[in-house]
Amino acid sequence: MTLKRSHMIGALGGALTMTAIMAVPAYADTLTDATTNEESILYTESWNDKAAANVESYANIRVSASADSGQTGILLPGHAVNVEGQEGDWSKVSSDGIEGYIRTDLLVFGEEARVHYKNVCGFTGTVTASSLRVRTQPSLEAETIGSLGNSSQIRIEGTEGEWYQVEYKGTDAFVHSDYVDLEDSVQGAMTVEEYQELQKQEEAGAASTQSSTVVSAGSGDLAMLAALIECEAGGESYTGKVAVGAVVLNRVRSGSFPNSISEVIYQSGQFSPVSSGKFQNVLSRGARSDCYEAASAALAGENPVGNCLYFNSGSGRGIQIGNQHFY
């Protein structure tokens, strides 16, 4: 297995990208000409000599085991490197031609590194069947809740026997592993120049996103967004409230969800306060002022969760803000 540089920062929690098809004559989720990848990056043994960055922003890769030495590269949160050895409080690492030293206290190792990478970056795979059934449980007898077309990209959350656990439209689901090619490389280090270029791209993208969001939002959008924030994060901090608003706007822009705030909020099966009637009650009376403030901030471009498309309380993965996890 090799480590590769990532040329896209993206959402640290990462998002699951799926392409559903409406009508295909044949579906697959049974065993045919299966191959087993015993060295899959999903398994512990592949990570015995690897480490992942346990940092909020980035870790410097130094020329020597000293904070005074120059930089040879950058390691983003969750990204992984090969561990070549130890020197005092430093770990000697390598990744795709980049070699150097990282402070050991900024890393997690082995199985802990694998889990941290999964939570922050996620493992991905490509559907190889013409149409792959998505099921509620890891069983051929389980209910089918959708399908994925050939070459669809999916995020793998875990394994259970011959099945991969994935996220499908905000719900935990399962697909048969024999019809998914798992990416056999992980996101590793980058050069300082690559990191600086990514920073410029992110700043330009944030400015563009903020401008388009302000133009497309009206008073009705603000009222609905504030009402949803009160329902989903009324007891959370200001940042937690803004984060919920940011998720809604990320969905509007993603291409995998409806392209308006109202359609995203009312999309079937997405937000429980909508189906329970709580959302409509809050919308009718008007949301609290603090929720309006958070909604206005999200519409103006404030975003503490990057490209996250989902949130819940208790998953333990992604970006935690208060009692919520965003991914």
Side-chain angles (χ1 to χ4, degrees), residues 31-32 64 67 89-90 157 167 186 226 239 241 247 268 275 327:
L31 183 62
T32 60
S64 61
D89 295 330
W90 296 77
E157 303 291 345
E167 186 175 281
V186 300
T239 302
K241 291 181 176 68
V247 165
S268 177
S275 58
Y327 53 98

Side-chain angles (χ1 to χ4, degrees), residues 36-92:
T36 302
N37 181 7
E38 295 180 353
E39 296 300 318
S40 166
I41 59 174
L42 288 176
Y43 295 98
T44 305
E45 56 265 32
S46 301
W47 288 75
N48 289 341
D49 298 321
K50 290 179 174 55
N54 187 22
V55 294
E56 292 186 3
S57 54
Y58 62 86
N60 288 311
I61 303 176
R62 300 286 184 180
V63 175
S64 61
S66 169
D68 296 325
S69 64
Q71 294 173 271
T72 64
I74 295 292
L75 192 63
L76 295 176
H79 289 206
V81 289
N82 296 312
V83 179
E84 309 293 344
Q86 302 290 329
E87 188 172 323
D89 295 330
W90 296 77
S91 294
K92 185 177 182 180

